[in-house]
Amino acid sequence: MKKECIAMLLAGGQGSRLYVLTGEMAKPAVPFGGKYRIIDFPLSNCINSGIDTVGVLTQYRPMELNSYIGSGQPWDLDGIDGGVQILPPYMGSSGGTWYKGTANAIYQNIGYMDQYDPEYVVILSGDHIYKMDYSDMIRRHKKAGAVCTISVMEVPWDEASRFGIMAVDGNDMITEFAEKPKEPKSNLASMGIYVFSWQALRKYLTEDEADPNSENDFGKNIIPNMLKDGQPMAAYRFAGYWKDVGTLDSLWDANMDMLGAGSDLDLRDEEWPIYARSVDAPPIFLGRDCKVNNSAINRGCEIHGNVESSVLSPNVKVANGASISHSVLLPGVVVEAGAVIEYAILGENCHIGKDCHVGGAPADGKKKELAVLAPDCKLEDGRTVAPGVMLDYKGQEVAKK
């Protein structure tokens, strides 16, 4: 069945910079904002943009992600004429390999894309928090007569070397592209969101796969090769909220951004809803003596202590006399009486004993240092975990490389 446009969502990354949080799950499956997971954002953007056919490319620890996506029903992506399809690496008659890079991952799924014979393919990452109408980007692609359109935004100059950076002409057509340059010539950064004309992309993927010296990467190989050949390539400027949540600091920042008054990250916008799989849990219970301020609390939570400027996922329990501030608690965390949690991320099903102290507020003018606990970590009563310390599921300290 022919489709004008399909999306391919790269969701196989290990998420090594999230350390202990992704020890047992792929990065896109990490909970965010209380009731969401990171992958909810690109999936919701697709259906809100009118794209009803999405291939999700998985690789690292895919079980939880596969289970979460299921048939795609929460995002209305369970149609028989497309919908969402999980695409792991596979062995064929001529062999097979793990996905070697972003371009190779797409190349290995040429057969999936060919069955829809699309005019355009949108390539997405599974580790960004944002709301974007991809149909606007596709219109820009068509109007420019481009073979590739890259979503871009201006970033602070001191951060530009972390991104793919491009130069554009007066019509916002791309003239130069450099992947993570040491001395960037521009601060116009790629967001890792692409629209390609399918037949052109198919050709370049095939040529790239045949090149033994290629790293099989969009930023390092496909895009530079298109530019070198003089192919028309357009920039699409995006001005809304966008954050790559691939680090502990950025994941915490994005959760806090959601709480901020007047934030660009409005997850209650009925005109552009972010869909998520519903949680089977009882209603929130707030005890008589609890105090909750500027926080997101979700189903199944039972709060008897104090919660300030924090995000609590479903089924979190906070005992009387416990205090949570500027922290992110993932599903199933239990905080016993008298415990204090400050500037921390607690993984799923952590158990914090009585009178523990985890993390701490940054000193005046100092950068925050997050305390991070792996899923299933259990702290004995009275234990102190200093700011910046990370513990594995056994409660043992882990070095951040």
Side-chain angles (χ1 to χ4, degrees):
M1 173 171 292
K2 185 172 178 60
K3 296 276 185 179
E4 182 187 30
C5 181
I6 65 173
M8 299 293 279
L9 176 50
L10 296 161
Q14 179 177 351
S16 58
R17 292 177 300 159
L18 291 179
Y19 297 97
V20 295
L21 296 184
T22 51
E24 298 296 327
M25 71 174 75
K27 181 165 49 174
V30 170
F32 173 82
K35 67 178 183 178
Y36 304 100
R37 295 188 183 239
I38 296 170
I39 201 167
D40 288 330
F41 289 81
L43 288 177
S44 297
N45 287 339
C46 283
I47 200 65
N48 289 337
S49 301
I51 298 173
D52 64 1
T53 303
V54 184
V56 179
L57 287 70
T58 62
Q59 179 159 280
Y60 173 80
R61 298 263 182 200
M63 187 172 70
E64 186 155 358
L65 186 61
N66 295 353
S67 176
Y68 182 74
I69 293 173
S71 68
Q73 184 272 332
W75 307 273
D76 199 22
L77 286 169
D78 56 346
I80 59 173
D81 297 330
V84 66
Q85 180 77 40
I86 303 294
L87 301 171
Y90 62 91
M91 294 292 291
S93 58
S94 58
T97 65
W98 292 110
Y99 294 147
K100 295 179 290 186
T102 53
N104 173 260
I106 302 297
Y107 170 82
Q108 287 198 39
N109 289 284
I110 281 179
Y112 169 79
M113 293 177 281
D114 276 344
Q115 68 180 325
Y116 296 106
D117 189 24
E119 293 289 328
Y120 310 105
V121 175
V122 180
I123 307 291
L124 305 169
S125 294
D127 51 4
H128 300 158
I129 301 296
Y130 67 112
K131 296 190 288 187
M132 179 189 285
D133 189 342
Y134 302 136
S135 64
D136 287 344
M137 189 174 172
I138 294 166
R139 279 190 287 273
R140 161 68 176 152
H141 182 83
K142 293 177 181 178
K143 187 175 180 179
V147 299
C148 171
T149 298
I150 303 175
S151 184
V152 300
M153 64 189 307
E154 293 185 7
V155 297
W157 277 94
D158 60 352
E159 295 182 17
S161 60
R162 294 175 44 224
F163 297 90
I165 296 295
M166 61 206 70
V168 296
D169 64 17
N171 296 315
D172 269 353
M173 299 299 287
I174 298 167
T175 58
E176 291 183 59
F177 181 90
E179 182 70 5
K180 298 181 180 178
K182 291 183 179 179
E183 296 183 5
K185 299 180 181 179
S186 156
N187 68 335
L188 201 60
S190 168
M191 298 165 63
I193 301 166
Y194 313 113
V195 175
F196 288 99
S197 296
W198 169 230
Q199 290 306 317
L201 175 60
R202 196 183 196 286
K203 169 182 177 291
Y204 278 89
L205 288 173
T206 303
E207 292 174 354
D208 180 71
E209 188 64 21
D211 179 1
N213 298 316
S214 175
E215 295 183 53
N216 306 124
D217 184 84
F218 277 102
K220 295 176 182 177
N221 304 110
I222 300 294
I223 292 168
N225 287 342
M226 286 185 166
L227 202 56
K228 181 180 65 178
D229 290 348
Q231 297 284 6
M233 304 177 71
Y236 171 76
R237 292 180 182 262
F238 180 71
Y241 183 93
W242 176 86
K243 190 175 287 288
D244 179 339
V245 288
T247 67
L248 294 169
D249 277 346
S250 63
L251 180 65
W252 183 92
D253 288 343
N255 275 277
M256 295 301 114
D257 289 344
M258 184 189 74
L259 300 177
S263 168
D264 290 334
L265 183 58
D266 180 5
L267 301 185
R268 293 172 293 186
D269 181 3
E270 295 182 0
E271 294 184 6
W272 199 269
I274 301 300
Y275 302 100
R277 186 168 292 283
S278 60
V279 175
D280 183 14
I284 296 167
F285 180 84
L286 299 179
R288 180 182 302 174
D289 298 324
C290 80
K291 295 180 181 178
V292 177
N293 182 47
N294 187 40
S295 296
I297 311 294
N298 285 275
R299 291 185 65 88
C301 285
E302 185 177 326
I303 312 298
H304 298 276
N306 299 335
V307 180
E308 170 77 26
S309 299
S310 294
V311 176
L312 274 55
S313 301
N315 298 312
V316 168
K317 311 289 191 250
V318 179
N320 191 45
S323 174
I324 316 292
S325 69
H326 298 88
S327 294
V328 179
L329 277 57
L330 301 189
V333 170
V334 175
V335 182
E336 298 284 9
V340 176
I341 313 295
E342 301 179 286
Y343 288 84
I345 302 176
L346 306 187
E348 294 185 56
N349 300 315
C350 282
H351 190 284
I352 311 302
K354 295 178 181 178
D355 301 317
C356 287
H357 198 136
V358 178
D364 290 345
K366 298 290 185 178
K367 183 178 182 292
K368 69 178 182 295
E369 292 187 277
L370 298 173
V372 180
L373 273 58
D376 300 312
C377 180
K378 293 176 172 52
L379 299 186
E380 64 275 14
D381 292 354
R383 183 165 175 185
T384 295
V385 179
V389 168
M390 182 165 60
L391 302 182
D392 65 14
Y393 73 98
K394 295 180 179 178
Q396 298 175 346
E397 189 167 341
V398 179
K400 297 178 183 176
K401 298 178 183 178

